[in-house]
């Protein structure tokens, strides 16, 4: 099948095309569609005929790649893309006895802390367990401070049950706790529960806000400014909403700093073909790990006011600060400190989550957003939109409550909570430094300091011969590199092309979440592979 493109999809059958004839074959529970030419699709895929037994009649499928929502078809999400699917295939092969040149697949593609071996925070699990099974409230082995929080949450739930729907905006007492948390974090800057919306992870909040922001047609279509490199949620949501993606580039030579002059360049260029009205900031950065200083945030806020932009501040890594010279500054606090002209006018939505930080509770899908300076009429429309999905998972809301209302000094769980939290964050600090140092020892790899978040995004040199080889396989060069890395070492990372990068540069993203011992093994394998890769394509 030389010269034929191959696409793998889950299913029960395999189909490939030679000329105009389609062949089906079962193999390993996968569907393979191979189509000659550049496009992986053709009319036979777009509207295949289905034969009904006993009737002799054929009916074309109503839902095909051609007839489906084109915005959904355009969505891409590299963090769980082809590399991860291939890693899953390799794991299944190894389970079935197929020998590989490695003992295990190390999935460093995603920030899933507990999957990497991080232990949950005891107090958080205790409160959620008590809320889930209230009979445990009579169990003397659970601490009193956990029981107090669980009772308060249950008293705010209909029927005193976590299994009931909450208000679409979230359980009232939890929104009150979020507001208090924000006020304390921001050293007295006022926060109101009415501006708090509990969400299904931060992603749900980001998508919801973008839905009400996107409008217009043609040159008046909403443009959404996002950092490059970016977290693929943003490009995926923009594609799904048929909005216009406006890229602004972070400065890799300056530790991935955000330059307001680059914002202006991107903004004024975008005005030629769309209506840029949304500016997304990820701080600390994902995948780049930079932490913005206060002056930079002030410049961004001033730019937003000057140009009439709605700000989205993705702050889910606010607890993940590793560099001694860096400090997290919330956009909300800086906005307030800039004075009434800014605080009363700049529209800002900020996001947080249970999934990152020291908690790592990805599976609970807990999160919140705070939205300030939203027009009252639009607030009503947002509540209407949120009511369509009824409510976020109430168990996730309970987990979020523990994040914003942890044990306090004098409570019986405080010492254990602080000990567990500090161990997790100190381990991440060690691994951030270790990753930076070891990657920078590899010829042809350059890694900026990991100031925050939980990823490294090193720049990798790929020889011209390897780039040509990637073209033969119809792959981006760093996709080819990462696929080779996976197949030869069992290490699963995400190519930088899935996050966006400057033309002519190549990167990959890896998480620093594996245990320190496993992380050292991973980094040694990357070093050995990269050196051999450079020799192979010299």
């Amino acid at each position: 099948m030389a010269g034929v493109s191959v696409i793998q999809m889950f299913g029960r059958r395999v189909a490939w095309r030679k000329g105009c004839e389609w062949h089906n074959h079962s193999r390993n529970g996968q569907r393979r569609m191979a189509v000659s030419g550049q496009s992986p699709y053709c009319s036979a895929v777009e509207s295949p005929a289905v034969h009904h037994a006993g009737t002799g009649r054929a009916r074309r499928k109503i839902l095909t790649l051609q007839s489906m929502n084109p915005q959904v078809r355009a969505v891409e999400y590299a963090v769980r893309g082809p590399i991860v699917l291939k890693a899953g295939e390799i794991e299944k092969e190894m389970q079935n006895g197929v020998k590989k040149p490695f003992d295990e697949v190390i999935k460093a593609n995603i920030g899933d802390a507990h999957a990497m071996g991080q232990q949950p925070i005891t107090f958080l699990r205790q409160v959620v367990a008590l809320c889930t099974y209230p009979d445990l409230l009579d169990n003397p082995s659970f601490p009193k401070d956990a029981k107090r929080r669980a009772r308060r949450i249950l008293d705010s739930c209909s029927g005193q049950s976590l299994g009931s729907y909450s208000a679409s905006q979230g359980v009232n007492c939890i929104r009150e706790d979020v507001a208090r948390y924000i006020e304390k974090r921001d050293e007295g800057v006022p926060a109101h529960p009415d501006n708090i919306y509990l969400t299904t992870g931060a992603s749900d909040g980001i998508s919801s806000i973008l839905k009400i922001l996107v409008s217009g047609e043609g040159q008046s279509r909403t443009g959404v400014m996002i950092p490059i490199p970016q977290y693929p949620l943003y490009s995926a949501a923009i594609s799904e909403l048929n909005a216009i993606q406006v890229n602004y580039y972070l400065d890799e030579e300056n530790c991935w700093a955000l330059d307001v002059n680059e914002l202006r360049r991107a903004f004024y260029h975008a005005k030629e073909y769309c209506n840029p009205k949304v500016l997304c900031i990820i701080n600390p950065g994902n995948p780049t790990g930079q932490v913005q200083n206060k002056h930079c945030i002030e410049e961004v806020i001033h730019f937003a006011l000057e140009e009439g932009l709605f700000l989205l501040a993705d702050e889910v890594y606010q607890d993940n600060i590793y560099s001694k010279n860096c400090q997290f500054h919330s956009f909300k606090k800086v906005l307030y400190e800039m004075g009434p002209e800014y605080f009363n006018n700049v529209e800002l939505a900020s996001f947080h989550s249970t999934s990152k930080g020291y908690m790592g509770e990805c599976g609970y899908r807990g999160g919140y957003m705070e939205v300030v300076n939203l027009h009252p009429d639009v607030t009503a429309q947002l509540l209407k939109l949120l009511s369509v999905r009824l409510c976020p998972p109430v168990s996730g809301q309970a987990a979020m409550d523990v994040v914003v209302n942890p044990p306090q000094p004098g409570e019986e769980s405080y010492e254990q909570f602080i000990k567990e939290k500090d161990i997790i964050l100190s381990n991440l600090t060690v691994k951030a430094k270790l990753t930076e140092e070891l990657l920078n020892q590899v010829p042809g790899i350059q890694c900026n300091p990991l100031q925050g978040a939980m990823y490294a995004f090193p720049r990798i040199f790929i020889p011209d011969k390897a780039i040509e080889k990637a073209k033969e396989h119809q792959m981006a060069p760093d996709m080819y590199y990462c696929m080779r890395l996976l197949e030869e070492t069992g290490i699963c990372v995400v190519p930088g092309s899935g996050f966006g990068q400057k033309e002519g540069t190549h990167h990959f993203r890896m998480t620093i979440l594996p245990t320190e011992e496993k992380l050292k093994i991973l980094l040694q394998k990357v070093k050995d592979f990269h050196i051999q890769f450079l020799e192979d394509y010299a």
Side-chain angles (χ1 to χ4, degrees):
M1 296 185 65
V4 177
S5 303
V6 178
I7 291 182
Q8 298 182 350
M9 301 176 67
F10 290 111
R12 291 186 176 178
R13 307 177 72 186
V14 177
W16 72 86
R17 184 186 183 196
K18 283 189 176 181
C20 295
E21 184 178 359
W22 282 87
H23 305 266
N24 291 297
H25 178 63
S26 297
R27 180 185 175 189
N28 295 336
Q30 297 172 342
R31 176 178 297 165
R32 294 179 183 261
M33 295 186 298
V35 185
S36 58
Q38 295 298 312
S39 173
Y41 311 117
C42 71
S43 58
V45 177
E46 291 161 357
S47 52
V50 178
H51 292 270
H52 296 272
T55 66
R57 296 197 306 271
R59 178 175 65 80
R60 294 193 179 278
K61 286 286 189 183
I62 295 168
L63 183 60
T64 67
L65 286 172
Q66 184 70 9
S67 67
M68 72 176 287
N69 185 332
Q71 274 67 62
V72 174
R73 196 169 61 234
V75 168
E76 294 182 0
Y77 188 64
V79 175
R80 293 197 174 188
I83 290 281
V84 184
L85 296 178
K86 182 65 177 177
E89 291 178 15
I90 291 173
E91 284 183 317
K92 288 181 180 178
E93 290 175 357
M94 294 176 71
Q95 290 169 5
N96 292 329
V98 178
K99 297 296 182 183
K100 299 289 181 181
F102 44 85
D103 297 326
E104 65 172 331
V105 173
I106 302 176
K107 292 184 177 178
N109 61 293
I110 194 167
D112 191 351
H114 293 182
M116 292 287 100
Q118 180 178 306
Q119 294 303 301
I121 296 293
T122 302
F123 187 77
L124 188 150
R125 289 295 182 91
Q126 287 174 331
V127 173
V128 176
L130 290 163
C131 289
T132 305
Y133 189 55
D135 286 0
L136 293 174
L137 289 166
D138 296 326
N139 190 318
S141 64
F142 283 80
K144 293 178 181 178
D145 48 359
K147 291 179 179 179
R148 282 195 298 271
R149 283 164 175 76
R151 287 193 178 96
R152 181 167 177 268
I153 293 169
L154 290 172
D155 286 343
S156 295
C157 295
S158 298
Q160 294 188 319
S161 173
L162 219 61
S164 59
Y165 289 127
S166 74
S168 297
Q169 200 169 345
V171 175
N172 288 336
C173 76
I174 299 177
R175 290 192 293 114
E176 292 170 358
D177 288 343
V178 171
R180 277 191 289 269
Y181 163 82
I182 293 171
E183 282 194 6
K184 182 178 180 181
R185 179 199 68 187
D186 293 343
E187 299 177 325
V189 176
H192 199 284
D194 287 347
N195 294 333
I196 307 299
Y197 303 81
L198 300 181
T199 57
T200 309
S203 304
D204 172 47
I206 293 166
S207 298
S208 297
I209 286 293
L210 285 175
K211 283 179 183 177
I212 64 172
L213 279 163
V214 172
S215 64
E217 298 294 337
Q219 287 194 323
S220 66
R221 189 65 173 168
T222 297
V224 182
M225 301 180 66
I226 64 172
I228 296 298
Q230 53 104 21
Y231 177 51
L233 162 70
Y234 291 93
S235 54
I238 291 167
S239 293
E240 185 179 357
L241 296 169
N242 200 26
I244 307 300
Q245 178 174 318
V246 179
N247 297 338
Y248 66 89
Y249 290 86
L250 302 176
D251 184 1
E252 183 172 11
E253 306 307 317
N254 191 23
C255 203
W256 297 111
L258 192 163
D259 185 350
V260 73
N261 291 321
E262 169 62 11
L263 289 182
R264 289 195 178 93
R265 180 208 63 78
F267 177 81
Y268 288 114
H269 177 65
K271 285 178 72 71
E272 297 175 5
Y273 57 86
C274 70
N275 176 25
K277 66 179 184 182
V278 186
L279 173 56
C280 302
I281 309 290
I282 309 174
N283 179 46
N286 176 10
T288 46
Q290 85 286 2
V291 179
Q292 292 181 9
N293 61 46
K294 185 177 180 181
H295 176 68
C296 175
I297 295 173
E298 289 172 341
E299 287 191 318
V300 170
I301 291 172
H302 177 76
F303 175 75
L305 179 68
E306 187 179 50
E307 302 297 349
L309 293 167
F310 195 111
L311 276 175
L312 303 187
D314 183 339
E315 299 175 336
V316 301
Y317 297 100
Q318 59 189 260
D319 291 306
N320 300 106
I321 309 295
Y322 311 127
S323 174
K324 293 180 180 179
N325 299 322
C326 294
Q327 178 183 350
F328 172 74
H329 300 277
S330 78
F331 267 74
K332 166 82 176 297
K333 182 185 180 187
V334 177
L335 178 64
Y336 185 83
E337 293 173 342
M338 290 177 73
E341 179 187 3
Y342 294 90
F343 188 67
N344 294 328
N345 291 293
V346 174
E347 294 154 281
L348 168 68
S350 306
F351 308 92
H352 197 16
S353 168
T354 63
S355 301
K356 309 305 177 185
Y358 58 89
M359 306 80 65
E361 294 283 7
C362 303
Y364 277 122
R365 308 308 301 133
Y368 75 75
M369 63 178 174
E370 181 187 24
V371 189
V372 298
N373 292 326
L374 203 60
H375 191 285
D377 293 343
V378 178
T379 298
Q381 293 298 314
L382 176 59
L383 287 170
K384 179 184 72 175
L385 175 65
L386 296 177
S387 71
V388 173
R389 55 95 157 112
L390 294 175
C391 70
V394 183
S395 56
Q397 295 184 49
M400 191 75 246
D401 187 71
V402 181
V403 175
V404 299
N405 185 24
Q408 300 300 308
E411 291 188 300
E412 60 185 293
S413 299
Y414 177 74
E415 289 187 7
Q416 182 182 8
F417 168 77
I418 289 297
K419 180 181 178 181
E420 292 176 351
K421 175 182 176 181
D422 287 349
I423 287 174
I424 291 169
L425 292 177
S426 63
N427 285 342
L428 286 170
T429 300
V430 169
K431 291 188 287 187
K433 189 65 176 176
L434 175 71
T435 301
E436 174 197 342
E437 290 177 349
L438 293 185
L439 285 174
N440 281 325
Q441 292 175 11
V442 183
I445 294 183
Q446 178 182 339
C447 184
N448 273 322
L450 280 63
Q451 297 174 338
M454 49 183 62
Y455 312 99
F457 195 68
R459 184 170 177 173
I460 52 175
F461 171 72
I462 298 182
D464 290 341
K465 287 184 179 180
I467 292 174
E468 291 301 316
K469 195 68 174 178
K471 289 179 181 177
E472 291 178 16
H473 289 273
Q474 298 181 2
M475 291 181 179
D478 48 15
M479 170 66 85
Y480 178 72
Y481 178 96
C482 292
M483 193 66 79
R484 284 279 306 270
L485 177 67
L486 172 64
E487 292 174 340
E488 295 179 25
T489 70
I491 295 170
C492 179
V493 297
V494 189
S497 50
F499 301 88
Q501 55 197 351
K502 280 190 176 180
E503 187 72 26
T505 67
H506 310 292
H507 303 79
F508 65 78
R509 189 193 80 162
M510 58 163 284
T511 180
I512 61 170
L513 288 173
T515 63
E516 185 176 343
E517 180 182 357
K518 186 166 289 189
L519 186 62
K520 288 178 179 178
I521 295 171
L522 184 157
L523 293 169
Q524 183 62 48
K525 285 188 173 186
V526 168
K527 178 180 180 179
D528 295 342
F529 167 82
H530 189 78
I531 291 172
Q532 186 62 50
F533 187 85
L534 294 181
E535 291 180 4
D536 291 346
Y537 292 100

